[in-house]
Amino acid sequence: MSISMREIAKLAGVSSATVSRVINGSELVTEETASRIRKIIADVNFVPNTSAIHLKHGKSQIYGIIIPDLTNPFFTELVKMFEELLVENEQELLVANTDFASTRLQRSLRRMLLRRVDGVAILTSEHEAAALESLVQNRIPVVTTDHYKSACGISDIIIDFPGGIAQMVAHLKKLGHRKLGFIGGTEGLETSRVRRESFMDAIVNQGLTSRSEWMVTGNYRIDGGSVAMKGILSQKEKPTAIITANDLTAIGAMRAAYDKGLRIPDDISIAGCDDIEMSDIVYPPLTTLRISRREYAGMLFEALRETAKDLSKPGPQFRLPMSLVVRRSTGKAPSDRKPARKSATRRGR
Amino acid sequence: MSISMREIAKLAGVSSATVSRVINGSELVTEETASRIRKIIADVNFVPNTSAIHLKHGKSQIYGIIIPDLTNPFFTELVKMFEELLVENEQELLVANTDFASTRLQRSLRRMLLRRVDGVAILTSEHEAAALESLVQNRIPVVTTDHYKSACGISDIIIDFPGGIAQMVAHLKKLGHRKLGFIGGTEGLETSRVRRESFMDAIVNQGLTSRSEWMVTGNYRIDGGSVAMKGILSQKEKPTAIITANDLTAIGAMRAAYDKGLRIPDDISIAGCDDIEMSDIVYPPLTTLRISRREYAGMLFEALRETAKDLSKPGPQFRLPMSLVVRRSTGKAPSDRKPARKSATRRGR
DNA sequence: CTGAAAGCGCTAACAA
DNA sequence: TTGTTAGCGCTTTCAG
């Protein structure tokens, strides 16, 4: 058991109330007693017990974040930014990773409840509304992403996939691509549906073509991208460019393309979403849609604070833009006539 | 403010002690009352307040982990494993990321103190003993890595770099390499010193050569690896193989080598440490020394539990092995006569 | 300007 | 088998 305020009080010959006042910077204490107390605090390395403060105030000073894949650098970087923001505001962060498993989402929510967090950012997509009820009921502000619903105590951040993917499609169109493929996210998730539909809308709006065989699902991870790409490449007629649901998927797709002996972007263009650090490291560097982690983290925080102000009304909605980052994994569409298949050309460095 | 035990008690027409007993699975309650209470608990979604429990018991049920770089997949994967382990044991995890800044270490330690964590795993290397004193003083068990010291309440995990790097050097020697370079970690860190010395020892023991110009420092990140490699490659005489302090460094080094037009492993072999997932994705896949995250996480947990048993004596020491993973970034040493510099050869796929 | 005392939600003696 | 009570460390009226 570590040292308590009462012991500080005893050492200083005052009451614990006075110690508390000094710690909280109250004006009502003589500078003399205050500095004496401060000295003792420093000497014995006293640190107040936050659980007691929590109990008193009802604020745990902890926020929670629930993410689907801690192994995805996008989320890691986001967590990092969010943590920094919170620490600056004297808050703590509880990270829960679900690995895409909905059973683990339930447990994560319970963890948040147990700790009476002051707010939860839910970045997984596999929740039903019912799951959030317990949070709302316990008056814990929630912010979701791409949930497209608002309810009391819940705010939502919408990532602008429609806009982003339209940019990407336009970029590919300008490069001469007409036949586009899409590797989406895990089947059945809301986010996956949004991304896929954004793709289809963009294709239609810009007068390009795709086919259902070119629009397959992945799992937001490298392996899923590889598998999906192999499927696409095994067809007799292939798209000339592929857009993927995230960068990891794109990296997996690139791998599969290489394994089939295709050159990127000469034979096929590949693009991702997220702009993780790795995207600039792989070969060739990946063209992608950047989502600013800093901005995202800021929105999460802002949304939670805003929602907390009045739990009895729906929280605000935010829109997070995506910006096109052109690198070298996308290039001119191969001409349909001569399918550019000379063997020993070097991979253009 | 969310619902409390007393309210449950009121609803059930019993005292809060009975409710507490039901929740903690005491035998002393009639099955009848127990199930009635359980029903109410379920109905109103009651979740006990852990801060109150903490206050009562003195155990926060939270462990802390302090890492230098959340962006490094090695640490992310480790955090993930550690978190899983803790959640299984009904514990919570507080993650603090220092970004290699010692000021942030101080703050992180304070955060741990504030939350009265039940144990802290410190994986940063930049701490002086003084920093740990406050933890020990507050009776918080600590486990460090590569600290090579033991003190009361502190246990240490030693990563077997000497053994691992010896394996790597032997591997390169077998491939015909005689001149080895080394890109280490950030200057001034204990871990960096250990890795560098392990390299030198292995070189000497196995009768190979290196030079001080071939042994440079990095920063455990991709960019540092690139810069360091550029430095090495700008010299007139170059090593034929490079061992690096971690995989990110190796990946940076590979990048720099490519940028200079070198082929890996034909012109130069490069090896890393850690075996992060990315190592098998980059081109060519990286030969590396694997450190098992699962084993590491297990040791951290074990060490903390062991140390907690008796804070008045030094905690145990553990040794974490490294195992050689041979992939394609290491290959036969180029013969010294004809330095293999034909231009337009394809990068061997 | 400082102290006494109550109470946040929970548990564990002790009583009944 | 269940209830009463004190107290974990802190803050905050209310008195002094």
Side-chain angles (χ1 to χ4, degrees), chain B residues 110-246:
Chain B
R110 193 182 159 79
R111 286 166 61 191
M112 302 299 161
L113 249 18
L114 279 165
R115 299 289 166 178
R116 296 292 194 274
V117 297
D118 295 338
V120 189
I122 302 180
L123 308 200
T124 56
S125 179
E126 67 271 25
H127 53 254
E128 323 86 51
L132 303 189
E133 209 176 293
S134 57
L135 292 174
V136 174
Q137 191 178 350
N138 282 279
R139 309 186 49 72
I140 297 178
V142 174
V143 55
T144 54
T145 292
D146 285 342
H147 200 211
Y148 290 93
K149 305 196 178 73
S150 55
C152 289
I154 303 182
S155 50
D156 194 31
I157 292 176
I158 292 175
I159 300 179
D160 187 21
F161 278 103
I165 291 190
Q167 282 180 68
M168 184 62 84
V169 168
H171 162 69
L172 293 170
K173 183 179 180 183
K174 208 184 306 167
L175 289 169
H177 295 274
R178 294 292 171 268
K179 302 184 298 182
L180 268 50
F182 182 75
I183 303 179
T186 314
E187 188 87 53
L189 302 189
E190 179 69 5
T191 342
S192 305
R193 202 185 54 70
V194 172
R195 294 177 199 206
R196 186 191 161 100
E197 284 184 1
S198 303
F199 173 75
M200 293 199 292
D201 287 352
I203 290 292
V204 171
N205 290 338
Q206 304 190 31
L208 305 185
T209 60
S210 188
R211 304 181 176 192
S212 58
E213 310 95 80
W214 296 346
M215 298 173 50
V216 300
T217 58
N219 62 0
Y220 294 117
R221 289 196 298 240
I222 292 175
D223 58 346
S226 282
V227 171
M229 189 66 170
K230 278 192 197 107
I232 292 178
L233 294 178
S234 70
Q235 297 165 25
K236 49 264 117 319
E237 191 166 354
K238 303 173 187 51
T240 62
I242 305 277
I243 293 177
T244 61
N246 72 355

Side-chain angles (χ1 to χ4, degrees), chain A residues 1-3 44-45 47-52 54-55 58 60-62 70-71 76 79-80 83-84 87 92-97 99 104 107 111 113-116 137-139 222 251 255 258-259 277-278 280-281 283 285 343 345-347 349, chain B residues 1-3 44-45 47-52 54-55 58 60-62 70-71 76 79-80 83-84 87 92-97 99 104 107 110-111 113-116 137-139 222 251 255 259 277-278 280-281 283 285 343 345-347 349:
Chain A
M1 201 90 333
S2 45
I3 197 164
V44 303
N45 266 321
V47 176
N49 183 328
T50 35
S51 285
H54 172 192
L55 205 54
S60 62
Q61 311 257 83
I62 302 182
L70 192 54
T71 274
T76 312
V79 164
K80 192 179 122 170
E83 190 228 90
E84 281 174 16
V87 170
E92 210 48 78
L93 179 62
L94 225 53
V95 181
N97 173 47
D99 265 335
R104 293 187 54 181
R107 242 199 297 170
R111 286 166 61 190
L113 248 18
L114 279 165
R115 300 290 165 177
R116 296 290 193 276
Q137 192 176 353
N138 282 278
R139 308 185 50 73
I222 293 175
I251 289 169
R255 244 218 125 166
Y258 274 137
D259 290 347
E277 195 194 10
M278 212 196 297
D280 200 22
I281 306 298
Y283 185 79
S343 76
T345 28
R346 200 156 172 227
R347 285 221 303 276
R349 265 189 180 261
Chain B
M1 202 93 328
S2 45
I3 196 161
V44 303
N45 268 320
V47 177
N49 183 327
T50 34
S51 285
H54 173 191
L55 205 53
S60 62
Q61 311 259 87
I62 302 180
L70 192 54
T71 274
T76 313
V79 164
K80 193 179 120 169
E83 191 228 90
E84 283 175 14
V87 170
E92 209 48 78
L93 179 62
L94 224 54
V95 182
N97 174 46
D99 266 335
R104 293 187 54 180
R107 244 201 295 171
R110 193 182 159 79
R111 286 166 61 191
L113 249 18
L114 279 165
R115 299 289 166 178
R116 296 292 194 274
Q137 191 178 350
N138 282 279
R139 309 186 49 72
I222 292 175
I251 289 168
R255 246 219 124 161
D259 290 346
E277 194 194 8
M278 211 197 296
D280 200 23
I281 306 297
Y283 184 80
S343 78
T345 28
R346 203 164 167 218
R347 284 222 305 275
R349 266 195 178 250

Side-chain angles (χ1 to χ4, degrees), chain A residues 182-186 192 195-196 215-220 243-245 249:
Chain A
F182 182 74
I183 303 179
T186 314
S192 305
R195 294 177 199 206
R196 186 190 161 100
M215 296 172 51
V216 300
T217 57
N219 61 1
Y220 293 117
I243 293 177
T244 61
T249 304

